[in-house]
Amino acid sequence: MTTVHPSASPAAAGDGGRPAAVVPATRPSGTQGPGPAPVRKEGRPRIRSTKGRDIFVKVSMVWMVLLAAVIMLEPLLPIPDPAAVDYYAIAVAPGQSVAHPLGTDAIGRDILARLVTGGRVSLTVGLGAVAIAAMFGTVLGIIAAFFKGLTDRVVGSGVDIFLAFPPLVAIIALSVFMGPSLSTLVIALGLIFTPQVARVARSAALPYVSREFVTAARGMGSKEFRILWREVAPNAIVPVLSYAVVLVAMAIGAEGGMSFLGLGVPPPQSSWGTMMGEGRAVLAASPHVVLVPATTMFLTLISLNFLADYISRRFDIKEAAL
């Protein structure tokens, strides 16, 4: 765009009335006035930094690997028998005894040894219950999303009925009929978590039922069940996996609460919840008896939640890239 300079009039243009000189309109430096707006360079969209969360994810991975290694290598570790009683070290606080680095409980049992064996029970309950829920819930949810209609209504009604039933009542009822045991707790929690997994699996599979690759596979003559397991199911696994990690944390917490109330694994088996329940009587005099297993459970649960969040974020990134 060009304009005529204000001082260049026809009278001052010189002989012959030649037109005034045409100069580009510019904005003098340091002054304000009309002029072309500065061009804003287009750049990449600002991406929120995830370094802080990634640090917690790495710490969570390290914690879970160490916990799993200690539990699996427990027979090889130089720790005492968790059922052995040291009558010369009753309710010893952590750091006061070389033989008992994390102290002893109210009757002289080593807390570190019981923590390792109790961790095996707690993780067994968490992984076992979630395995049952993931197996049945994923199948029900994907089938309901794929076939829709009557199948979806029947599965949805069954899921709603199970979700309306109080979980604590279900655990107590199974404990009465089957007897309190580790397997009873695993089955009870697995049945409680199955409807939740079914809902997540259905929601994850529903967008893929009408996608182009499913329509193409059906047009090529593929059978319905082959399309279901080869095309739809693999795409619904990642959200279910992310939620399953959260359910492991929920199952461990539920086992701790049930054992704390005396509805969990029976003696002589010990879990983190059992240790906390047994430490209630000496909580005022020896708080470490409860704090040590409670802190271990807290670190495990928060680590699992960070890992579940990491899996969910990775899944979102892949979907956005597609």
Side-chain angles (χ1 to χ4, degrees):
M1 177 179 180
T2 59
T3 59
V4 179
H5 197 277
S7 63
S9 61
D15 297 336
R18 288 179 298 179
V22 178
V23 295
T26 58
R27 181 184 298 175
S29 60
T31 62
Q32 296 181 354
V39 179
R40 191 173 185 177
K41 294 182 178 181
E42 295 293 335
R44 294 183 179 180
R46 183 177 297 178
I47 301 175
R48 184 177 299 177
S49 176
T50 59
K51 289 184 179 180
R53 286 189 296 181
D54 290 341
I55 293 175
F56 287 109
V57 170
K58 292 177 181 179
V59 173
S60 301
M61 289 181 180
V62 171
W63 170 259
M64 294 305 301
V65 169
L66 288 177
L67 183 64
V70 169
I71 290 175
M72 290 188 297
L73 298 177
E74 184 261 341
L76 304 177
L77 297 178
I79 57 177
D81 184 0
V85 176
D86 188 352
Y87 296 101
Y88 298 98
I90 303 295
V92 174
Q96 294 185 356
S97 174
V98 178
H100 310 287
L102 293 183
T104 59
D105 61 6
I107 61 176
R109 292 174 297 186
D110 186 77
I111 291 181
L112 177 59
R114 301 195 71 217
L115 201 66
V116 174
T117 57
R120 180 184 292 111
V121 173
S122 297
L123 289 180
T124 299
V125 171
L127 295 175
V130 173
I132 294 174
M135 180 173 60
F136 292 103
T138 303
V139 172
L140 289 175
I142 294 178
I143 288 177
F146 186 79
F147 292 103
K148 300 181 179 179
L150 179 62
T151 304
D152 191 11
R153 290 195 295 270
V154 171
V155 174
S157 299
V159 167
D160 292 338
I161 293 173
F162 270 93
L163 289 176
F165 200 78
L168 183 60
V169 176
I171 295 176
I172 295 175
L174 286 175
S175 298
V176 170
F177 285 104
M178 301 177 60
S181 64
L182 180 62
S183 58
T184 300
L185 193 58
V186 170
I187 294 174
L189 291 176
L191 293 177
I192 291 171
F193 291 150
T194 296
Q196 303 177 30
V197 177
R199 280 192 169 183
V200 174
R202 179 187 178 277
S203 300
L206 202 56
Y208 296 98
V209 172
S210 57
R211 293 285 290 270
E212 295 80 2
F213 54 86
V214 174
T215 305
R218 188 177 284 114
M220 294 175 63
S222 298
K223 296 182 179 180
E224 293 295 314
F225 279 99
R226 185 182 185 279
I227 298 174
L228 177 66
W229 301 121
R230 296 292 298 273
E231 306 294 342
V232 178
N235 291 286
I237 289 299
V238 177
V240 173
L241 177 62
S242 175
Y243 189 63
V245 178
V246 177
L247 285 182
V248 172
M250 293 175 61
I252 294 175
E255 183 277 327
M258 294 298 101
S259 298
F260 185 82
L261 297 175
L263 300 175
V265 294
Q269 287 181 317
S270 65
S271 67
W272 293 336
T274 304
M275 295 175 65
M276 290 187 289
E278 294 173 349
R280 285 181 297 179
V282 295
L283 181 59
S286 304
H288 68 278
V289 178
V290 176
L291 290 179
V292 171
T295 302
T296 305
M297 179 181 289
F298 169 76
L299 293 175
T300 303
L301 299 187
I302 197 172
S303 297
L304 290 172
N305 279 277
F306 275 122
L307 294 177
D309 178 68
Y310 173 74
I311 295 173
S312 178
R313 287 189 286 116
R314 294 290 296 179
F315 172 74
D316 291 339
I317 291 173
K318 291 180 180 179
E319 282 295 307
L322 291 176

